[in-house]
Amino acid sequence: MSDLARKICLVGDFSVGKTSLIRRFVDGQFSDEYLSTVGVKLSRKVAKLPQPTAAGVTDVELLIWDIEGQTQFKAIAPSYLQGSKGAIIVADVKRPETVKHLHDHLDLFFSVNKTGSIIIAFNKVDLLSAAQLTELQAEYSFRDRPQVIATYTTSAKTGDNVNRIFQELAADMIKVS
Amino acid sequence: MASLDDKSQANSGRSPAESAAEPTSSRFERLPDPWNEARAEPKPAPAPPPTPPTTTEQTPPTTTPANDALDALLLDLQQVLEQPVAATIDRSPAVSAEAVTPRPVAEQPEAADPTMSEIDETPASAESSSESAPIPLPVESEADALLEKLQSLALDALNRQPLKPPAKSESSLEIGESAVATSPPEPEAPATEDLVTIPIIEQLVEPLTAPTATAPEPEYGEAPPAIVPDTAVSPELPGDEPDAAMSPEPESSSSPIPAAAFAGMDSNGAAQSLPLADQPPAEVGVSNGKGSEPTKTTPGLFRLGDRDCDPLDVLRELLLSPEPGVEAAKPTAPQPTVPKPPRRRPPTMPPATPMRPATPEPPIAKAPLEPDAAAVGSQPGIVVRPLAPGAATAVSPQPLPSAQEVETTYLRQLIADLEQKLVELEKQVYQPTDVINPLLPLIAQLMKQKTTMNEDAVYTAVVPVLDRAIRERSDQNHAAMSEALAELIPDAIAEEIRRSPETIAKSLGPEMAAALREQIKLEKDSISRALGPEMGRAIKEQIELERDAMVDALYPVIGNTIAKYMGEVVAQINERVETALSPAGLRRKMQAKLQGVSEAELILQESMPTVVQAIFLIHKASGLVISELQPSLEARLEPNMIAGMLTAIRSFVNDCIAQSGEISELNEIEYGDSRIVLEVAGYCYLAVVVRGTPRQAFVKRMQRTLMLIVRRYGREIEEFDGDSSTLSPELHNDLAALGDSEIMTPDGKPRRRSRALLWLILAILALIVLPWSIFQVRGFLARRLETKLETALADLDAQTYTTLDAEVRGGRVTLQGRVPSESVKADAAQMVAGVAPQLELDNQIVTVQDPSAIAMSVQLMTAALNRDPGVELTAEYQANTVVLRGSVGETDDRQSLIESFEQLPGVEQVDAARLEPAALQERIYFDLNSASLKAADRSGKIAAVADFLEASPDVQLKIYGHSDEQGTSAINEVLARERAGAVRDVLVNAGIDAERLTIEGVPEPPEDVSSDEPQWLGRTVRFELLSAPE
């Protein structure tokens, strides 16, 4: 058997919508209820690769670690990030401080995993006007970090870019390895 | 009436006061307000100077245009009569709602026209007013003319005098009416009022003020009852009437008056002030009202007012004069009817009264009243005066100087008429029944109509007072109120529940617990009895709704109970098992002893077979599965999910739970009857999902396998990134080896153990059974041989003492028995050899010489031989020798006889010497003293002997001669010898060798002959055979 599996983590401040993004991606659902994730929640989804690998594998099993959001009282446990080849770092566009913390999360991730692909997700974009969006996108750039392969504005509520970030991350992880 | 006037004045006063531009207003401003004075002294100070002029000015005009003024007053009164009820009611609520400060400015300016506008605005009130108007009219129809005059008078008076009353009335109105802005009006009022009124008031009132101040309060307390009736009668009307009152005559607007009345002090003050200026009658009326009865509608008000301004008077009247007392009785009468309402007002009133009315009004009132009183004194209307004597005195001076003679007479007449009318009116007014009765039916209708036409108005009118009314009433008569409401409450609650259950729930909710507690306190079992039957269903329902919560709640109780129960059960099982002696039990016992665990534990373990459900080799960092092994049968576990979660848990334990600095690993996760056993090494760890309890051996094997894998594939594992193609396939095989050893076969090893044990048992059994069976078989064979031998040996029985035994054991036969001779022994040996030649012979037969046995056989032989005729023998066995005695008939027989004895076993010698022939047994007898033979004997007995002797040549014979016991022995000896010799001779003669014959003489009888036998037996010869000489 030649299976391909990858661990990816969702990192970010509390209540930025990590769990919602995963729920949207895995179950295709969304709920306004806020349920704080405690510890870690695991989800799994098989993603199609854009092109088969050298070994002829066409699917990758994504093990998505939904890690308890960072609060001012509690940092993210680095050990949860171990062995992760990719991560989606999430911020809430309506809460500027969560955007500011993106770099901290990047640093944390790279301190644990020297290599690894990152996608930045500005979430809850459905709450923002188009103008604000462009402004936001202009303001934050992660060009200085080559491992950040993309930055997207997402909305778990509308499903905007949600599948895309996972698919793209999956493809990139396979490519890198 | 007076109150009405007051009111009208007050209204007019107000309007001017409010409209600052108007002169009246200025007057008002000048007029000193007792309230203002009372409130703010600075203002009163300036006021004094202006007041005197105003008063003087006013007074004269009042006298001259008295008629007009009176008419106006009458009209006012009429209106007031109609309106007061409503007004009072309206205002009373307002008053109650807002103590002293009503809407001052707003209403006042409008008073004239504005009032109308107000009325218009409030349609309900307008309507009511219109309705109310007709009612009073009929009642007062008689006095119409008078009223008109009075009204006109009042108007004039108002025009002139409004100053004082208005200010007060305004203030009062403000107070009475729903006070929109209290602060503004007050300041204004004081300023205006102060100017004119203060001086007069001071002069006039001085004496009164003091009393009023004291009196008012108590009166209020008393008055309230009187007031009540009004409000009670027509709650709606008040609202309308006041408006109506306002509309018809802005100046004398009745509405203000009522308000004043409510205010108490103010109204009185106003009323008094008016009369002073214009018409005494009004004053009188007022006084009357105070004393006896205010208008029906406003009785309460009036009284209040009276009390406020004339409280002292009233009191005095009541106390001092019997007549007033009677009059007072009337007011009191109404009071009882409506006890509650009074209370309402009083509370509100008091604040107002003390402030202004007390001081200022009394003076004014008195001043005007007195003059009037003096004028009217003689007239009937004056009857009332006694009430306010003080006031009358004070007032009188004023009217006298002002009135002209002609006019005075006319005026007096007029006044007299008016007073009469007034009195009548008053009667009507003060005797509520007269006025009210006709009103009653209408009121109901009015209410109804009003309600249908404009519900809101009714609401607004009634609503503000309702709560208070109810509260007052319930204070007064708790029981009655409860009774009245009791019926409604259940329905009301039911309705409310139907309409908005949530509200009811919200309002009842907080008290439910307390209510339940209380009920439990009262009746201990009631609640539990009520709830009991529902508990079961409630619990069931709750379990359906929230199973986990119920489990959590019950766990501490049930968990313990179950644990206890299980403990008992296990103990029982243990006991049973321990007493049971099954092989399994024994095995378990041994196992328990060996492992040092309880047997019950083993039983449980046995009952829960161990099954390895899955094996995962997991990458430590990423939590991805490197390799896995799962039985194909059961539902497959999602390997990466499990691995991930386990990894997260491991991380959690290491990060959060383990003490810092220590590295501690998660070894096992238990869930239900299953567990996940974890073994960590290198960059991976092994997780094995096991149902049941894994054996120690398996855990060891796990560790070995993991070490092996880490050693062999450490590098691959370290670099594993989720791509299984990077791993060597052998890894999986190595892991599978672990699985093969144990996996999926429930309870493998225990079964092997039991088989070994079975073999062991079988072997033991064989060891026990085989020898035994062999022995059994061999015994059986030997037994058969023995019987064969013994039957053979039985042939020798005759020659043996005992039956011969042959015992076969192994290849050897042992013979046992007792035989008399070696020959028999040898015979036996020979026979065995013949039957079983293969056996080795152990001949243990004993040859025995048994004397008793020989003797026995001798006896037997003897008995046998004795059967022959002619043979008569006895045999005796002694030391291998048989001694035979007896006789034998034939000689030959004798020989054969001896031989047969000699053949007996053990007999070695036979002594036959004593065995004699019969002939020798004969004896030969002799006569006494004779030795000669008888002839017969010679040929008989002796011949036989001779024959024997001849036949037995080797036999020697002894012949004994005997004698009897007679004679001497010597003779007998000779005789005996002779006798023996005689026989010998015969024998010798017969040819017998003499040498074989021996004789002997025995001088006595033979031994066998006793002495008592006949003597002749002794005289005999006998023979004795001697053995052959050796």
Side-chain angles (χ1 to χ4, degrees):
Chain A
M1 66 164 193
S2 63
D3 290 342
L4 212 48
R6 287 290 184 275
K7 168 182 177 178
I8 62 175
C9 295
L10 266 81
V11 186
D13 285 1
F14 74 95
S15 191
V16 294
K18 299 181 292 297
T19 306
S20 291
L21 283 174
I22 294 171
R23 188 145 185 240
R24 168 62 74 183
F25 174 59
V26 175
D27 302 328
Q29 293 175 336
F30 176 79
S31 164
D32 270 327
E33 270 178 64
Y34 175 60
L35 295 174
S36 184
T37 304
V38 177
V40 174
K41 194 177 146 226
L42 250 65
S43 306
R44 165 184 170 276
K45 176 150 179 170
V46 175
K48 283 258 180 238
L49 290 175
Q51 53 198 27
T53 63
V57 179
T58 57
D59 297 331
V60 60
E61 180 182 15
L62 292 179
L63 280 150
I64 306 162
W65 287 50
D66 180 8
I67 296 173
E68 182 174 357
Q70 171 172 300
T71 68
Q72 63 184 110
F73 308 107
K74 193 174 176 188
I76 293 170
S79 60
Y80 290 145
L81 300 173
Q82 284 177 358
S84 178
K85 292 289 169 197
I88 295 171
I89 299 183
V90 189
D92 178 352
V93 292
K94 295 294 279 183
R95 288 192 295 151
E97 77 274 11
T98 67
V99 181
K100 280 187 199 124
H101 288 157
L102 283 174
H103 281 286
D104 299 339
H105 296 312
L106 278 169
D107 290 340
L108 175 70
F109 183 81
F110 290 128
S111 72
V112 177
N113 299 294
K114 301 268 182 306
T115 63
S117 313
I118 302 285
I119 286 185
I120 307 284
F122 288 100
N123 197 28
K124 304 195 188 176
V125 80
D126 54 289
L127 301 176
L128 225 56
S129 68
Q132 287 171 304
L133 256 185
T134 50
E135 190 181 330
L136 187 82
Q137 281 169 321
E139 192 174 345
Y140 288 94
S141 146
F142 297 90
R143 298 233 173 97
D144 55 329
R145 299 209 188 229
Q147 282 165 308
V148 176
I149 57 171
T151 301
Y152 283 105
T153 56
T154 60
S155 166
K157 190 170 189 175
T158 63
D160 261 6
N161 285 337
V162 174
N163 283 355
R164 189 164 177 180
I165 53 174
F166 284 98
Q167 297 283 5
E168 194 169 327
L169 185 65
D172 191 75
M173 284 192 298
I174 303 302
K175 209 170 20 179
V176 168
S177 61
Chain B
M1 298 293 285
S3 68
L4 293 174
D5 294 357
D6 295 349
K7 292 169 188 173
S8 65
Q9 291 175 1
N11 290 338
S12 62
R14 288 175 187 173
S15 60
E18 289 168 6
S19 56
E22 294 179 10
T24 51
S25 68
S26 64
R27 292 176 191 173
F28 285 112
E29 288 171 359
R30 293 170 191 170
L31 289 173
D33 267 6
W35 315 343
N36 297 337
E37 289 176 3
R39 294 173 189 171
E41 292 177 358
K43 291 175 181 176
T51 43
T54 53
T55 51
T56 52
E57 289 173 6
Q58 290 171 358
T59 45
T62 49
T63 51
T64 46
N67 296 336
D68 297 343
L70 276 175
D71 288 348
L73 263 177
L74 278 173
L75 280 175
D76 284 354
L77 280 173
Q78 193 174 347
Q79 288 174 354
V80 171
L81 274 175
E82 299 165 7
Q83 299 161 354
V85 184
T88 50
I89 293 161
D90 287 355
R91 283 156 199 180
S92 66
V95 173
S96 65
E98 310 182 19
V100 185
T101 56
R103 34 177 151 141
V105 186
E107 290 183 350
Q108 291 171 356
E110 296 170 357
D113 299 341
T115 45
M116 294 299 289
S117 67
E118 285 181 0
I119 296 161
D120 293 347
E121 287 171 8
T122 53
S125 62
E127 294 166 8
S128 67
S129 68
S130 64
E131 292 170 5
S132 63
I135 302 168
L137 288 173
V139 180
E140 302 170 18
S141 57
E142 310 161 358
D144 280 353
L146 264 180
L147 281 172
E148 284 176 6
K149 290 177 181 175
L150 277 173
Q151 206 170 353
S152 60
L153 278 175
L155 282 171
D156 291 353
L158 285 172
N159 289 336
R160 298 163 190 171
Q161 277 196 341
L163 306 175
K164 299 174 186 176
K168 299 166 186 177
S169 64
E170 283 172 12
S171 60
S172 66
L173 283 174
E174 292 166 3
I175 298 163
E177 298 170 4
S178 63
V180 178
T182 52
S183 55
E186 291 175 2
E188 291 176 6
T192 54
E193 295 172 20
D194 293 348
L195 300 175
V196 184
T197 43
I198 291 174
I200 301 172
I201 295 167
E202 284 176 342
Q203 291 175 356
L204 298 175
V205 179
E206 277 176 5
L208 296 172
T209 51
T212 51
T214 53
E217 292 178 1
E219 286 176 349
Y220 281 106
E222 299 169 355
I227 297 166
V228 178
D230 300 349
T231 52
V233 174
S234 57
E236 295 179 2
L237 291 175
D240 304 336
E241 290 180 1
D243 298 339
M246 298 292 285
S247 62
E249 299 177 0
E251 297 172 356
S252 66
S253 67
S254 58
S255 63
I257 297 170
F262 287 111
M265 311 290 284
D266 300 344
S267 65
N268 296 332
Q272 290 168 2
S273 65
L274 287 174
L276 288 174
D278 300 340
Q279 301 172 355
E283 296 169 5
V284 174
V286 173
S287 67
N288 292 340
K290 296 170 186 175
S292 57
E293 309 161 339
T295 52
K296 57 167 183 184
T297 51
T298 53
L301 303 175
F302 282 100
R303 288 177 185 178
L304 291 173
D306 295 346
R307 292 159 196 168
D308 298 344
C309 43
D310 311 325
L312 295 173
D313 300 348
V314 176
L315 276 175
R316 282 174 197 162
E317 289 171 9
L318 289 173
L319 296 172
L320 300 174
S321 64
E323 293 177 355
V326 176
E327 293 173 353
K330 293 177 181 178
T332 51
Q335 292 174 2
T337 55
V338 190
K340 299 172 187 175
R343 288 187 183 178
R344 304 172 190 168
R345 291 173 188 176
T348 54
M349 300 302 288
T353 54
M355 301 284 284
R356 327 163 176 173
T359 50
E361 294 174 354
I364 300 166
K366 291 163 188 173
L369 286 173
E370 287 171 0
D372 296 344
V376 184
S378 58
Q379 298 174 354
I382 300 171
V383 179
V384 183
R385 291 174 185 171
L387 296 175
T393 54
V395 179
S396 58
Q398 285 183 351
L400 292 174
S402 63
Q404 296 177 2
E405 290 180 1
V406 181
E407 285 182 353
T408 45
T409 51
Y410 173 74
L411 260 180
R412 276 181 186 170
Q413 269 184 342
L414 245 184
I415 287 170
D417 287 348
L418 278 174
E419 274 192 347
Q420 210 164 358
K421 299 253 175 186
L422 271 175
V423 169
E424 285 176 18
L425 276 176
E426 277 180 12
K427 269 184 187 173
Q428 289 179 347
V429 170
Y430 288 112
Q431 290 177 346
T433 47
D434 292 348
V435 185
I436 289 172
N437 285 346
L439 279 178
L440 282 177
L442 286 172
I443 287 171
Q445 209 176 346
L446 271 177
M447 297 275 289
K448 214 185 285 172
Q449 210 168 344
K450 180 68 183 165
T451 317
T452 53
M453 288 173 70
N454 190 332
E455 225 170 13
D456 289 346
V458 178
Y459 275 130
T460 49
V462 177
V463 164
V465 221
L466 265 180
D467 58 334
R468 197 186 176 106
I470 292 172
R471 215 174 300 133
E472 293 281 353
R473 177 61 181 153
S474 43
D475 280 352
Q476 248 172 8
N477 192 340
H478 200 78
M481 201 64 186
S482 314
E483 209 173 320
L485 290 178
E487 283 179 15
L488 289 176
I489 286 176
D491 289 343
I493 292 175
E495 175 66 13
E496 178 62 8
I497 287 173
R498 192 181 61 74
R499 251 189 304 181
S500 62
E502 282 177 15
T503 319
I504 283 284
K506 232 177 261 175
S507 60
L508 289 181
E511 290 314 306
M512 288 293 278
L516 286 177
R517 259 200 301 278
E518 188 63 22
Q519 177 59 18
I520 289 169
K521 218 187 289 169
L522 288 177
E523 200 184 344
K524 213 166 184 181
D525 293 334
S526 60
I527 293 290
S528 39
R529 234 181 292 132
L531 291 180
E534 289 311 301
M535 287 294 278
R537 254 195 297 172
I539 291 173
K540 215 190 258 173
E541 179 76 8
Q542 178 61 11
I543 286 173
E544 273 170 29
L545 284 176
E546 259 188 300
R547 179 184 295 266
D548 287 351
M550 283 303 280
V551 169
D552 281 353
L554 293 179
Y555 179 79
V557 188
I558 292 183
N560 286 342
T561 312
I562 291 177
K564 200 175 168 195
Y565 173 73
M566 281 301 289
E568 284 171 4
V569 169
V570 168
Q572 263 181 0
I573 292 174
N574 205 4
E575 193 183 348
R576 234 174 259 170
V577 165
E578 277 170 1
T579 53
L581 255 180
S582 65
L586 286 173
R587 177 181 66 79
R588 202 182 301 117
K589 266 191 199 307
M590 286 172 58
Q591 203 176 336
K593 282 266 162 55
L594 287 174
Q595 296 183 1
V597 295
S598 97
E599 209 169 327
E601 203 173 317
L602 287 176
I603 292 172
L604 277 178
Q605 208 171 325
E606 281 172 13
S607 65
M608 294 190 299
T610 309
V611 180
V612 176
Q613 293 178 306
I615 299 176
F616 302 110
L617 185 64
I618 301 166
H619 191 238
K620 212 197 250 178
S622 67
L624 295 172
V625 171
I626 300 167
S627 180
E628 54 141 344
L629 210 61
Q630 285 195 61
S632 49
L633 300 175
E634 307 203 16
R636 258 180 77 82
L637 304 169
E638 186 52 62
N640 270 324
M641 289 292 281
I642 291 174
M645 215 58 233
L646 283 175
T647 309
I649 294 169
R650 272 195 66 246
S651 301
F652 175 73
V653 169
N654 282 332
D655 291 352
C656 304
I657 297 180
Q659 294 291 322
S660 61
E662 288 179 23
I663 296 177
S664 36
E665 282 296 342
L666 184 65
N667 295 322
E668 193 170 280
I669 297 174
E670 239 184 290
Y671 59 99
D673 63 342
S674 299
R675 65 195 70 205
I676 301 172
V677 186
L678 301 176
E679 273 303 323
V680 186
Y683 288 93
C684 63
Y685 66 96
L686 196 59
V688 181
V689 184
V690 184
R691 193 164 65 212
T693 312
R695 287 181 312 285
Q696 203 58 38
F698 178 69
V699 176
K700 288 223 174 83
R701 190 192 296 270
M702 267 177 65
Q703 290 165 346
R704 275 201 303 275
T705 308
L706 185 60
M707 293 311 294
L708 176 85
I709 289 173
V710 169
R711 218 169 39 238
R712 284 191 193 165
Y713 314 103
R715 167 85 35 115
E716 292 174 27
I717 290 171
E718 185 182 348
E719 291 170 355
F720 179 74
D721 64 350
D723 191 349
S724 62
S725 59
T726 60
L727 297 168
S728 40
E730 290 81 21
L731 191 155
H732 186 71
N733 295 339
D734 282 343
L735 188 67
L738 171 62
D740 290 345
S741 69
E742 287 282 330
I743 227 174
M744 338 317 165
T745 57
D747 208 12
K749 206 167 180 186
R751 199 178 288 164
R752 251 183 280 141
R753 258 187 211 166
S754 67
R755 205 175 291 149
L757 199 82
L758 185 67
W759 279 116
L760 183 70
I761 291 170
L762 278 178
I764 291 170
L765 273 179
L767 280 178
I768 295 168
V769 169
L770 264 182
W772 178 77
S773 57
I774 289 170
F775 171 79
Q776 288 293 320
V777 171
R778 289 177 64 180
F780 174 71
L781 293 174
R783 196 76 29 79
R784 268 175 58 186
L785 199 57
E786 277 171 9
T787 44
K788 212 172 170 183
L789 288 172
E790 279 169 2
T791 38
L793 289 174
D795 292 349
L796 292 175
D797 275 359
Q799 302 170 43
T800 60
Y801 299 134
T802 61
T803 310
L804 295 179
D805 273 344
E807 192 180 331
V808 180
R809 184 168 287 181
R812 182 187 184 88
V813 62
T814 305
L815 293 179
Q816 280 180 331
R818 289 150 61 115
V819 294
S821 65
E822 284 296 325
S823 64
V824 177
K825 190 176 168 180
D827 284 350
Q830 211 171 347
M831 287 176 79
V832 168
V835 174
Q838 76 280 8
L839 296 179
E840 186 187 345
L841 177 65
D842 176 12
N843 196 339
Q844 291 185 359
I845 293 174
V846 183
T847 55
V848 184
Q849 297 292 337
D850 185 355
S852 64
I854 296 169
M856 180 63 69
S857 58
V858 168
Q859 289 303 321
L860 286 172
M861 185 59 78
T862 308
L865 292 173
N866 274 338
R867 282 177 201 157
D868 287 348
V871 177
E872 198 173 339
L873 62 85
T874 60
E876 192 178 338
Y877 177 75
Q878 305 171 339
N880 301 335
T881 304
V882 175
V883 179
L884 294 173
R885 293 182 194 180
S887 61
V888 183
E890 302 291 328
T891 312
D892 297 343
D893 292 342
R894 185 172 179 273
Q895 201 55 44
S896 65
L897 204 154
I898 290 168
E899 281 175 11
S900 59
F901 274 104
E902 280 175 350
Q903 285 183 354
L904 286 174
V907 174
E908 294 172 0
Q909 214 173 15
V910 176
D911 178 5
R914 308 272 175 84
L915 186 65
E916 298 167 349
L920 296 183
Q921 304 290 327
E922 297 295 331
R923 291 184 181 185
I924 298 160
Y925 296 98
F926 291 87
D927 294 336
L928 189 65
N929 286 331
S930 164
S932 53
L933 292 167
K934 297 175 179 171
D937 290 334
R938 278 185 193 195
S939 56
K941 294 175 185 180
I942 295 172
V945 173
D947 290 345
F948 169 71
L949 285 173
E950 277 178 16
S952 315
D954 51 343
V955 171
Q956 295 185 31
L957 194 67
K958 187 141 186 195
I959 302 166
Y960 290 95
H962 290 274
S963 68
D964 63 7
E965 291 174 339
Q966 300 170 37
T968 61
S969 60
I971 296 167
N972 284 343
E973 192 176 342
V974 175
L975 198 57
R977 186 128 177 136
E978 285 175 355
R979 289 173 181 167
V983 172
R984 184 188 59 178
D985 291 345
V986 168
L987 285 174
V988 173
N989 290 336
I992 304 297
D993 187 354
E995 287 192 6
R996 289 171 63 188
L997 302 173
T998 313
I999 59 166
E1000 188 180 338
V1002 181
E1004 55 186 18
E1007 287 173 5
D1008 56 349
V1009 175
S1010 60
S1011 55
D1012 55 347
E1013 283 178 297
Q1015 291 287 326
W1016 63 272
L1017 286 177
R1019 294 167 311 221
T1020 187
V1021 171
R1022 62 179 182 97
F1023 305 95
E1024 197 167 314
L1025 198 63
L1026 294 178
S1027 56
E1030 312 267 323

